[in-house]
Amino acid sequence: MTYMLSSDNYCVIMAGGAGTRLWPLSRKELPKQFIDFAGNGSTMLKEAYKRISGMFPKENIIVSTNVDYYQETVNQLPMLDPQQILREPVMRGTAPSLIMSAFFIRDINPNAKVLVVPSDIRIIDEEPYREVIEKGMEFVSTNNKILTVGITPTRPETRFGYIQIDDEQKEEMFKVRTFTEKPEEEFAKVFVESGEFYWNSGMLMWNVQAFIDTANSFLPEIVEQIRRIFDTRHDRNARRNVMYACYEGFPHASIDYAILEKAENVYMIRSFFNWNDIESWDLLFDVSAKDSDNNVLRLKNGLVYNCRNNLIIETNNNKLLVIDDLNDYLVVDTEDVLVICRRDNETAFKKYVNESKVLFGDKFI
């Protein structure tokens, strides 16, 4: 079945995050979206591109990333024109980067409809995934709404954000009532039982002018500065220089907190495809292939005995790793950092990274 969308449809792949919860494999110089976690030659960025490449014209696929990751993005997606890779001068969150992407796309096509996808999600059921995108893009082409994609929950998960829907509908899309970040387990159970809450996939759809107008209601200074840059007919290099000069002054703002939670024109499309947000080691463990003892093993040189429910990754070709009698642990052994901790201890990684930076600077970051 063919899903190729029209030339007015664009996709932005967000690939600028630092991925500190997957440290020490995910590093400042090479964060998680560029890493081959499965050992099959692919990366999360390559997988994100592959999923949408059959739906959007190649020239309409944009990658938004940090300037430090520009060359790696070019290397991993050589099929894209480098001009399709937008470079954030500094990390200021998803709101400024998406506003910049919106103006970039509007400058090319003022009638554009845009899909936004994170680069660090895992999708198994690609057929229903594509159907949701096709239906959602059709909706935003005729409605000045911002459309989110809600994943029908299969369990009371505390590691994902939730979207609560209202009774109000428009063309089978539900008006969003609230967003909730990573609830406690008791609340997650109530959410799932109520039937009103869906996992927040991080995927968005909008027509370009509706998004710019909505963003202007809540972040007018950022919108005005970026508008001024794009409305001034600089050449590309001059425009980039002006953008760099003002971008550092932007506040850090996520799209969820700064815009979506406040806007009245946010709707949700329900989906039923198999989705996971790969933002921590425990979540990576959940979706990875396992051996007969429920271990996820990525070993170049390793001997493992009497071990169960572990995630063990070793990247040092010059070292033999021997592990005996270990259960429910994470072991990550790189060239310069060894981490051993409980596999579900994901909240501690911010502490590990911060204290390492205090004691050793950026040496191990």
Side-chain angles (χ1 to χ4, degrees):
M1 186 173 184
T2 257
Y3 284 91
M4 181 62 73
L5 300 172
S6 78
S7 59
D8 283 340
N9 290 276
Y10 290 73
C11 179
V12 175
I13 302 174
M14 295 188 293
T20 54
R21 289 184 180 179
L22 287 166
W23 180 85
L25 210 55
S26 177
R27 298 293 186 95
K28 182 179 179 181
E29 292 184 357
L30 194 71
K32 61 180 179 178
Q33 58 269 28
F34 303 110
I35 295 175
D36 174 14
F37 286 101
N40 61 6
S42 191
T43 67
M44 287 193 279
L45 176 62
K46 290 179 181 179
E47 290 297 320
Y49 176 82
K50 181 181 177 182
R51 278 194 297 270
I52 52 90
S53 61
M55 301 183 67
F56 293 81
K58 183 174 68 173
E59 62 273 16
N60 289 11
I61 298 173
I62 309 299
V63 180
S64 175
T65 190
N66 186 270
V67 63
D68 293 337
Y69 312 140
Y70 168 75
Q71 191 56 54
E72 185 63 31
T73 304
V74 171
N75 294 344
Q76 293 204 9
L77 300 178
M79 69 291 292
L80 295 185
D81 186 319
Q83 293 193 11
Q84 293 169 244
I85 300 170
L86 301 185
R87 291 170 261 182
E88 304 168 82
V90 290
M91 292 184 186
R92 288 294 182 262
T94 50
S97 67
L98 286 177
I99 294 170
M100 179 173 68
S101 299
F103 275 99
F104 177 84
I105 292 170
R106 192 191 69 166
D107 200 49
I108 300 169
N109 184 346
N111 298 314
K113 292 77 179 173
V114 181
L115 166 70
V116 177
V117 294
S119 59
D120 57 353
I121 60 175
R122 185 172 184 266
I123 306 292
I124 295 178
D125 315 316
E126 295 200 7
E127 182 91 1
Y129 170 77
R130 293 182 177 186
E131 289 175 356
V132 163
I133 292 172
E134 187 178 53
K135 189 174 182 179
M137 295 297 279
E138 182 179 350
F139 174 77
V140 299
S141 70
T142 56
N143 293 277
N144 290 327
K145 311 296 183 184
I146 297 176
L147 188 64
T148 68
V149 178
I151 308 296
T152 304
T154 57
R155 60 187 183 276
E157 181 60 69
T158 61
R159 297 171 296 181
F160 301 151
Y162 284 75
I163 301 170
Q164 182 186 23
I165 58 171
D166 211 331
D167 291 333
E168 180 183 337
Q169 294 186 48
K170 186 174 179 64
E171 299 178 26
E172 300 182 20
M173 309 300 172
F174 295 85
K175 193 175 192 306
V176 171
R177 182 183 296 174
T178 63
F179 290 86
T180 302
E181 275 298 310
K182 299 179 182 177
E184 298 293 331
E185 186 171 2
E186 60 184 290
F187 290 109
K189 289 178 180 177
V190 172
F191 289 174
V192 174
E193 290 170 0
S194 74
E196 297 178 0
F197 289 80
Y198 295 78
W199 291 336
N200 186 353
S201 70
M203 297 169 57
L204 297 167
M205 287 175 263
W206 28 262
N207 76 66
V208 70
Q209 193 57 53
F211 176 73
I212 290 173
D213 291 343
T214 303
N216 189 58
S217 299
F218 305 104
L219 296 171
E221 293 183 3
I222 292 177
V223 171
E224 183 52 37
Q225 288 191 63
I226 295 180
R227 187 197 311 277
R228 178 174 52 82
I229 293 166
F230 278 88
D231 285 351
T232 303
R233 291 299 163 190
H234 299 298
D235 62 37
R236 184 177 175 86
N237 289 332
R239 180 181 288 174
R240 183 184 301 119
N241 292 337
V242 178
M243 177 67 75
Y244 280 27
C246 72
Y247 207 96
E248 291 189 9
F250 291 161
H252 191 283
S254 78
I255 189 71
D256 286 356
Y257 292 133
I259 297 176
L260 300 183
E261 291 185 4
K262 302 173 183 178
E264 292 294 324
N265 63 333
V266 181
Y267 281 70
M268 189 200 81
I269 181 171
R270 287 190 296 183
S271 65
F272 299 90
F273 52 78
N274 191 316
W275 166 95
N276 268 282
D277 182 358
I278 311 301
E279 67 164 24
S280 69
W281 286 115
D282 211 30
L283 285 165
L284 181 65
F285 175 84
D286 286 350
V287 302
S288 298
K290 301 173 180 68
D291 68 9
S292 58
D293 291 314
N294 206 42
N295 296 304
V296 177
L297 303 177
R298 302 281 186 270
L299 296 172
K300 296 185 180 298
N301 305 293
L303 299 172
V304 177
Y305 307 96
N306 192 33
C307 290
R308 293 176 180 82
N309 308 317
N310 300 296
L311 173 54
I312 303 173
I313 297 181
E314 182 261 325
T315 65
N316 192 336
N317 285 316
N318 299 314
K319 183 187 297 182
L320 171 65
L321 200 63
V322 180
I323 300 178
D324 195 349
D325 198 22
L326 195 67
N327 300 315
D328 302 301
Y329 263 75
L330 168 70
V331 179
V332 184
D333 185 28
T334 70
E335 297 289 336
D336 58 348
V337 176
L338 170 63
V339 172
I340 304 171
C341 66
R342 297 288 301 182
R343 202 192 68 232
D344 59 0
N345 195 22
E346 60 184 70
T347 57
F349 274 80
K350 186 175 181 180
K351 177 183 72 174
Y352 299 161
V353 171
N354 288 343
E355 292 189 4
S356 175
K357 192 165 185 176
V358 169
L359 292 172
F360 309 108
D362 288 339
K363 182 177 180 181
F364 302 111
I365 306 302

